[in-house]
Amino acid sequence: MLTFISRTVWFLLLCVSVAIAACCIFLLKMEKDLPDINELKNVEFETPMHIYSSDGKLMYVFGQIKREPISIKDVPQTLINAFVSIEDQRFYEHSGFDAIGIIRAALEYAKTHKKKQGASTITQQVAKNFFLTREKTFERKIKELIISLKMERELTKDQIMELYLNKIALGHNAYGIVAASKVYFGKDLKDLSLSEMAILAGLPRAPSSYNPISHPDKARERRDIVLAKMLEYKYITKQQYNEAKEEPIISSYHGPEIEFRSDYISEMARQRVIDRFGENVTTKGIKVYTTVNSEVQTLADEAVFKGIMEYDRRHGYRGAAKELWKSKETPWTEEQIQEYLKGVPKVSKLIPAVVNKVTDREIDISMKGNLHGVIPWEGIKWAAKFLTDRRVTGLPRSAREVAKPGQMIYVYTDEKGVLQLSQIPAVQSALVSLDPQNGAIRAMVGGFSFNQSKFNRAEQAKRQPGSNIKPFIYSAAIEHGYTVSSIVMDVPIGSWDSGRSNKWHPKNSPNVYDGPITLREALAKSKNVVAVRLLRGTGLKNIVAHLEKLGYPVPKVYQNEPLALGTMEMTPLELARGYAVLANGGFLLHPYIIQRIEDDSGNLLYEANPVIACTTCDDHVMDPQAYSDGHGHRIAKQVLSHANTFLVAEMMHTGIYGGADRGLSGFNGTGWRTAKAMPNRKDFSGKTGTTNNSKDCWFSGFNADVVTSVWIGFDNHARSLGREAGATAAQPIWNYFMVPYMKNFPENPVYKPETIITHRVSRSTGLFVGDGAANSRNEFFEIGTNPADHSAFTGGASNSYFNYGSGKQSSGSGESGVPSASDLF
């Protein structure tokens, strides 16, 4: 009998030993596959990317996860106690695995058949959140246990608690206690009440069920359980318990504290960061500081909005956005109206509204957000009916002709506080403003509304610049022997176009011709035929080469005479870059939007180091690339001489301030509206631009401090802006932006280099005359190019075509010499 018993015992011991050995082997193998706990000592939490303006205002937060990591020493002890009370009462006593807690939870379940207490410790939750999946398997649970035990050996309790409080999901995409505190209460942790701390501590079990925004009643019940536990474990007094329990729950969703919003800028910055650092950088909590000042960008946004609204009103009212009920149907209740408007977003500043009542002179409306208002006749009388892009009906005589009850419309409040009837415009616009000394983008607007269209027209829309290209044509002409006072014939052109099998007849707009005209006056008046003659005289190959120096590769399809009138497409940003060359003395810059990038601790990761212009440096036009000035500055590649850019800017100055400002007859340039808008300064140069059938309208202007280009048109290239031009559609936007922007800037005209001298010239011939000569004026010349031959001009068409400078005239073929007869017409 004893032998049987002993054999049985030995057999059982053997089985147990084998089982233990197997378990050990299993655990050892599993442990080898487990992660290194040391990774948690330097963990990087997934946090969103923040975009800031140059003056430090938060513009946008990229990333769905909201998280702001915090050190355990900065967490209120009461909040820690709240989490310990409800999640793991023996957190500071166990070693990662709480056998007593499991037994207590099992007994409670046996007694009530309800799972009132969790069996997982805070350490186990950290192990699961950082290293394991959510699958419920025996193997995963064993791994969780082993990791927890290792964590307790290698990390302190404070380290484990810090990981837990920063990692936990607490609903509404808030991860960690700091984000949750801001999302639910709009507060920092130190400002939370005991009641609010208890609410946060109650969330981990079921964030969607217990969050105080969606389920305030359940949140209250859960809060009271947490408070009761805190009282039971003596973390709070009875009085504190009673006061916290009586505190009402006040909670609403608090998004990021956006101080200033410009979505086109933010998206452009985001893309630049991804291009440089990769897609994952948006979850590293970096802070991106742009070159854009919030006040300047606000001026740009408001200017584009105002200009688009004015254009849209000039072209008539297209009717209500939608009809919600007809005249014979039962009107909607206010509750129905508000419920409907909840789903209709604002578009820029345009607010959706529903018409309740219409009288002869007023429209009574309900607006989104339970707001009511009355549109007065002042906000209605503009609404002539839209017929085509070129035609509208007469102005309305009554508000009843414009709107009726049941219509959904859009409204906005103007600068005077008057409610205005409006509509979502079909037309679009873009604005780019650069610092011409370093290429920093100071303001940029990519369209009417980012929510309406995320297409950034400032950076992505390729459009024909029209006459905005002419300064570059004139620059090429100056480089090839013309002077500012050169005389060119402003007479009609007719030439055979083999591609079209007909004659090409470029015309001036307006269709007026002045005969012999100086380059200064021709550019100021934007004479089309003169631009074509300059292309012929300079040579198409030379024009193409000149544009390519400015950063504009010219596709073969555009290498023809219409190039002089702006047929080649470019973006507003590309155009502004070229104008910056004219503003800074000839240096080709690289526009940039990001000034610096910091990590979540404020350490510098990147700082812009742009090439810059050097207006006072000697010309380095022949240098193939950027160079150093010996003082730590990288000087940009100079593509044009200081003299060339000064002379072109001078001609464009006349385009704004007219002929009288430079001793010519008192004509207006096409940009005279800027002179009127800025009556107390004369330091700007500018150029209008309008393409065929007014499909694109432009205005670009600059001084030594800033260059700004504005485009307006339709995304549909087939649509015309109607009877509009750059001066009427684009230039007002430029003025609305630049006038307030420049208010605190002193005058700073384009730098005049030492290579520029002044001579008296004849008003009629452009040739040099002596001091005191009748009918003469002062004109600028580059040294060595001033006219010298007093008798060359005869008044004939052929002779008046030639340049009267000392430089050689280039032929239409691009070779030096006299132009052929075919080049003159």
Side-chain angles (χ1 to χ4, degrees):
M1 185 69 177
L2 288 173
T3 303
F4 174 76
I5 293 174
S6 62
R7 288 178 178 174
T8 303
V9 170
W10 279 107
F11 177 75
L12 291 174
L13 287 173
L14 179 61
C15 290
V16 170
S17 299
V18 171
I20 292 173
C23 287
C24 289
I25 293 170
F26 173 75
L27 293 175
L28 286 171
K29 183 178 182 301
M30 183 176 288
E31 187 172 8
K32 286 181 180 179
D33 297 332
L34 293 177
D36 184 0
I37 299 302
N38 286 319
E39 293 179 14
L40 296 178
K41 293 180 180 179
N42 298 296
V43 66
E44 288 187 7
F45 291 101
E46 187 174 325
T47 52
M49 178 173 71
H50 293 69
I51 308 290
Y52 294 89
S53 61
S54 63
D55 49 330
K57 292 186 177 180
L58 181 62
M59 297 168 59
Y60 207 90
V61 177
F62 285 101
Q64 292 185 342
I65 289 178
K66 304 174 185 72
R67 181 187 277 117
E68 294 181 42
I70 188 171
S71 171
I72 192 67
K73 64 183 176 60
D74 297 323
V75 180
Q77 187 60 48
T78 302
L79 183 57
I80 295 173
N81 295 340
F83 276 96
V84 169
S85 297
I86 195 65
E87 288 294 317
D88 188 358
Q89 298 90 341
R90 299 186 67 255
F91 172 70
Y92 291 104
E93 300 167 24
H94 63 66
S95 298
F97 171 72
D98 188 9
I100 295 175
I102 293 175
I103 293 170
R104 185 191 299 121
L107 292 174
E108 186 69 28
Y109 180 76
K111 189 188 301 182
T112 64
H113 297 288
K114 291 182 180 179
K115 186 180 179 182
K116 292 186 178 180
Q117 291 180 273
S120 291
T121 64
I122 284 177
T123 309
Q124 287 175 279
Q125 292 183 56
V126 172
K128 178 175 62 178
N129 289 337
F130 277 95
F131 295 124
L132 302 173
T133 65
R134 292 185 172 274
E135 61 178 346
K136 295 182 179 181
T137 64
F138 175 76
E139 183 179 345
R140 190 198 69 83
K141 199 67 178 175
I142 294 297
K143 286 182 179 180
E144 180 185 298
L145 175 60
I146 296 172
I147 294 172
S148 300
L149 294 172
K150 289 181 68 176
M151 285 173 60
E152 291 282 350
R153 288 199 307 267
E154 299 182 31
L155 302 175
T156 67
K157 288 289 187 180
D158 279 352
Q159 287 175 315
I160 295 170
M161 179 60 74
E162 181 177 302
L163 291 167
Y164 172 72
L165 294 177
N166 281 312
K167 183 71 172 179
I168 47 175
L170 297 173
H172 282 280
N173 285 327
Y175 289 78
I177 54 176
V178 177
S181 176
K182 292 183 177 180
V183 165
Y184 292 116
F185 305 112
K187 295 180 179 181
D188 291 328
L189 294 183
K190 61 183 177 60
D191 299 321
L192 292 175
S193 68
L194 174 58
S195 170
E196 291 165 340
M197 290 182 183
I199 290 171
L200 294 185
L203 288 172
R205 181 173 173 181
S208 59
S209 298
Y210 293 134
N211 83 72
I213 297 174
S214 306
H215 303 285
D217 292 336
K218 289 184 178 181
R220 182 179 294 104
E221 293 175 8
R222 183 68 174 165
R223 176 202 66 181
D224 292 350
I225 292 172
V226 175
L227 291 171
K229 287 290 183 182
M230 294 182 75
L231 179 62
E232 178 185 345
Y233 296 112
K234 300 186 178 356
Y235 286 125
I236 58 175
T237 65
K238 183 68 174 177
Q239 182 180 347
Q240 289 175 309
Y241 168 77
N242 290 333
E243 290 174 352
K245 194 174 179 182
E246 292 301 316
E247 183 179 308
I249 293 178
I250 302 174
S251 178
S252 60
Y253 181 79
H254 297 77
E257 295 180 9
I258 303 297
E259 301 170 89
F260 157 70
R261 189 150 193 162
S262 182
D263 292 347
Y264 285 110
I265 294 289
S266 298
E267 175 57 25
M268 185 179 183
R270 183 191 74 88
Q271 193 57 56
R272 293 291 191 276
V273 172
I274 289 174
D275 290 345
R276 186 176 187 88
F277 296 105
E279 193 76 41
N280 292 336
V281 74
T282 58
T283 63
K284 302 298 184 183
I286 63 171
K287 299 174 183 178
V288 180
Y289 291 86
T290 67
T291 58
V292 173
N293 176 277
S294 61
E295 292 183 8
V296 177
Q297 182 62 38
T298 298
L299 293 176
D301 291 334
E302 290 175 348
V304 170
F305 178 84
K306 185 176 180 180
I308 286 180
M309 285 293 100
E310 288 181 351
Y311 170 88
D312 199 57
R313 288 159 73 100
R314 288 198 297 271
H315 290 262
Y317 185 54
R318 297 183 296 279
K322 193 170 184 178
E323 189 172 38
L324 303 182
W325 70 84
K326 300 183 183 299
S327 58
K328 294 182 180 181
E329 296 176 347
T330 303
W332 285 13
T333 65
E334 184 63 23
E335 185 178 353
Q336 287 176 302
I337 290 172
Q338 290 301 324
E339 187 62 31
Y340 175 80
L341 291 176
K342 280 182 183 178
V344 184
K346 283 178 60 178
V347 180
S348 186
K349 296 181 181 180
L350 304 186
I351 303 168
V354 174
V355 177
N356 295 317
K357 182 182 177 182
V358 183
T359 65
D360 281 343
R361 286 293 182 268
E362 293 180 340
I363 301 174
D364 181 88
I365 59 171
S366 292
M367 291 176 283
K368 190 173 184 176
N370 290 309
L371 299 174
H372 291 78
V374 174
I375 309 175
W377 181 241
E378 184 180 347
I380 305 168
K381 62 184 180 181
W382 65 269
K385 187 177 180 181
F386 170 88
L387 295 176
T388 70
D389 289 331
R390 292 179 174 271
R391 293 180 57 226
V392 296
T393 63
L395 292 172
R397 292 166 294 179
S398 166
R400 299 180 195 274
E401 298 176 25
V402 177
K404 58 184 179 180
Q407 290 181 335
M408 197 209 89
I409 60 174
Y410 285 90
V411 298
Y412 72 96
T413 303
D414 69 10
E415 301 150 317
K416 300 176 182 177
V418 177
L419 203 59
Q420 297 282 340
L421 172 69
S422 189
Q423 59 194 345
I424 296 177
V427 74
Q428 290 289 350
S429 181
L431 179 151
V432 177
S433 188
L434 301 177
D435 183 333
Q437 303 306 320
N438 61 16
I441 296 175
R442 297 307 183 198
M444 186 183 72
V445 183
F448 180 72
S449 167
F450 186 80
N451 290 334
Q452 178 194 27
S453 170
K454 295 175 174 54
F455 180 59
N456 186 347
R457 294 155 191 83
E459 185 187 25
Q460 298 170 308
K462 293 277 189 179
R463 309 294 298 218
Q464 292 183 341
S467 293
N468 252 209
I469 204 172
K470 287 177 183 174
F472 306 138
I473 306 299
Y474 279 66
S475 171
I478 293 291
E479 189 171 276
H480 287 81
Y482 286 85
T483 69
V484 176
S485 69
S486 292
I487 301 292
V488 178
M489 286 302 293
D490 178 29
V491 295
I493 291 176
S495 62
W496 182 260
D497 187 332
S498 58
R500 301 179 185 181
S501 299
N502 60 15
K503 279 193 174 183
W504 180 52
H505 292 280
K507 297 179 181 178
N508 288 339
S509 180
N511 196 20
V512 175
Y513 302 86
D514 294 334
I517 191 171
T518 65
L519 262 65
R520 181 187 286 276
E521 184 173 352
L523 183 57
K525 291 182 176 180
S526 196
K527 295 289 189 176
N528 287 341
V529 297
V530 171
V532 175
R533 292 188 190 280
L534 287 179
L535 180 144
R536 292 176 174 180
T538 303
L540 177 60
K541 290 181 180 179
N542 291 328
I543 294 290
V544 169
H546 198 80
L547 289 171
E548 290 180 346
K549 282 195 304 186
L550 291 164
Y552 304 125
V554 183
K556 194 71 176 176
V557 67
Y558 295 121
Q559 294 186 20
N560 45 43
E561 290 190 345
L563 177 64
L565 305 182
T567 54
M568 183 180 73
E569 295 178 332
M570 58 184 67
T571 70
L573 181 57
E574 290 169 342
L575 183 68
R577 184 193 187 201
Y579 272 67
V581 174
L582 302 177
N584 66 27
F587 297 88
L588 186 62
L589 304 173
H590 304 290
Y592 66 101
I593 192 72
I594 296 175
Q595 187 62 48
R596 72 181 190 277
I597 301 173
E598 297 175 357
D599 65 16
D600 56 0
S601 299
N603 299 311
L604 188 66
L605 299 177
Y606 165 83
E607 187 165 25
N609 181 26
V611 292
I612 64 172
C614 184
T615 53
T616 58
C617 294
D618 293 336
D619 280 330
H620 285 75
V621 180
M622 300 304 293
D623 288 358
Q625 57 190 8
Y627 63 96
S628 173
D629 66 351
H631 300 287
H633 302 119
R634 296 189 307 136
I635 307 303
K637 179 180 179 181
Q638 188 176 11
V639 295
L640 300 178
S641 70
H642 289 87
N644 184 289
T645 57
F646 172 80
L647 293 172
V648 175
E650 257 299 308
M651 291 185 281
M652 296 171 70
H653 177 277
T654 303
I656 290 178
Y657 301 103
D661 195 58
R662 289 294 186 263
L664 292 161
S665 61
F667 64 83
N668 280 333
T670 58
W672 62 266
R673 289 169 177 81
T674 291
K676 184 177 180 181
M678 298 182 177
N680 297 320
R681 63 190 306 155
K682 288 190 174 181
D683 58 330
F684 277 96
S685 301
K687 185 70 193 76
T688 54
T690 311
T691 61
N692 280 350
N693 298 319
S694 297
K695 291 181 179 180
D696 300 279
C697 287
W698 300 78
F699 187 79
S700 299
F702 57 86
N703 65 3
D705 288 323
V706 62
V707 53
T708 299
S709 290
V710 173
W711 165 86
I712 186 169
F714 291 96
D715 287 340
N716 179 354
H717 289 234
R719 287 192 67 175
S720 165
L721 289 165
R723 293 182 174 87
E724 300 278 356
T728 60
Q731 191 175 6
I733 297 174
W734 193 95
N735 289 341
Y736 293 149
F737 170 61
M738 290 296 292
V739 170
Y741 181 18
M742 291 288 101
K743 191 172 292 184
N744 297 320
F745 282 74
E747 288 195 43
N748 191 12
V750 169
Y751 173 72
K752 177 186 173 185
E754 294 180 356
T755 52
I756 292 294
I757 57 176
T758 303
H759 276 300
R760 298 293 294 181
V761 296
S762 166
R763 294 179 189 273
S764 58
T765 68
L767 296 177
F768 175 74
V769 296
D771 291 342
N775 195 32
S776 65
R777 63 182 180 85
N778 285 328
E779 187 55 275
F780 293 108
F781 297 90
E782 184 177 5
I783 292 175
T785 64
N786 50 296
D789 184 356
H790 292 239
S791 61
F793 180 69
T794 63
S798 297
N799 285 335
S800 64
Y801 173 76
F802 296 120
N803 160 51
Y804 296 112
S806 59
K808 291 184 178 180
Q809 176 67 45
S810 295
S811 73
S813 64
E815 298 174 0
S816 180
V818 178
S820 64
S822 63
D823 291 320
L824 304 181
F825 301 98

